Amino acid sequence: GPNVEAEHCLIFDTGDAHEGVISGRRQPVPMSAIGSAKKEIRQNDVIISRLRPYLRQVAFVDTDVPGRVEGVIMLCSTEFFVLRPTDHQSIAFLVPFLLTSKVQKVLAASQEGGHHPRFSETSLLSLLIPAEILERRDEISKIVESSAHSFRQSQREMAGVVETTEAVIER
């Protein structure tokens, strides 16, 4: 379970992951605010929602997730599958693979259940990654990591210009 040492956490829902990045801007909340069960996520994990694959709720957990500060743990909905690197090698290359239309179709086709169909962990883990992608994993991972970094820079610039505009309006 989650690290109980931490006093605050960031909680991400399925809508916070989209097209390869965590796009939601969350503020840390006290651990006591955790309602339902959650999973811990860490930097360099890849998360994918098992609900509605067509929403493309896949993300690389980059080093610069908004709201993440020392002593704050990151938690996510149990609707996410959390993929974690087993060694020092980045698994960011899995993000574009999981977002390909072929994989998305396979996951959509393997959904089970009535009201909110989900795909199973077995369906996810049985996906075959082409050798050519595995050979280029480091190169692809670097592109995903650098894209996440650019996304964060863009988010900060936008937040900055909103803030300065706000200051003008408040005058």
Side-chain angles (χ1 to χ4, degrees):
N3 167 4
V4 286
E5 298 292 299
E7 287 182 20
H8 287 83
C9 57
L10 285 173
I11 301 173
F12 298 102
D13 205 353
T14 52
D16 293 320
H18 186 61
E19 294 289 350
V21 288
I22 290 179
S23 52
R25 304 181 67 86
R26 298 287 180 167
Q27 292 301 312
V29 296
M31 292 292 275
S32 58
I34 302 172
S36 52
K38 298 283 177 267
K39 291 180 176 180
E40 187 172 352
I41 53 174
R42 299 183 198 146
Q43 188 181 311
N44 301 321
D45 286 349
V46 168
I47 58 176
I48 178 169
S49 167
R50 60 201 189 119
L51 280 166
R52 303 180 286 276
Y54 59 86
L55 292 176
R56 303 171 67 79
Q57 295 171 329
V58 177
F60 171 65
V61 184
D62 59 291
T63 54
D64 218 4
V65 173
R68 185 171 169 257
V69 287
E70 202 55 51
V72 168
I73 65 162
M74 295 183 289
L75 301 175
C76 69
S77 158
T78 54
E79 294 296 358
F80 281 113
F81 286 127
V82 179
L83 304 172
R84 182 157 293 153
T86 51
D87 54 24
H88 63 282
Q89 224 181 347
S90 176
I91 61 166
F93 78 99
L94 290 173
V95 168
F97 171 71
L98 293 170
L99 287 169
T100 59
S101 51
K102 190 171 182 185
V103 168
Q104 292 284 307
K105 281 191 188 101
V106 168
L107 294 178
S110 71
Q111 290 187 122
E112 294 151 16
H115 189 50
H116 290 298
R118 296 163 170 83
F119 61 82
S120 68
E121 196 168 9
T122 314
S123 308
L124 181 63
L125 298 177
S126 60
L127 292 169
L128 293 176
I129 303 169
E132 194 178 332
I133 300 219
L134 289 173
E135 283 157 22
R136 295 182 50 214
R137 71 175 279 179
D138 292 344
E139 173 197 343
I140 297 168
S141 288
K142 278 190 180 75
I143 295 168
V144 171
E145 288 165 16
S146 120
S147 296
H149 181 72
S150 301
F151 178 79
R152 297 292 169 222
Q153 270 180 304
S154 172
Q155 266 189 324
R156 281 191 292 271
E157 272 176 49
M158 183 62 83
V161 77
V162 168
E163 218 170 282
T164 54
T165 306
E166 194 90 59
V168 170
I169 292 171
E170 297 297 311
R171 273 189 217 135

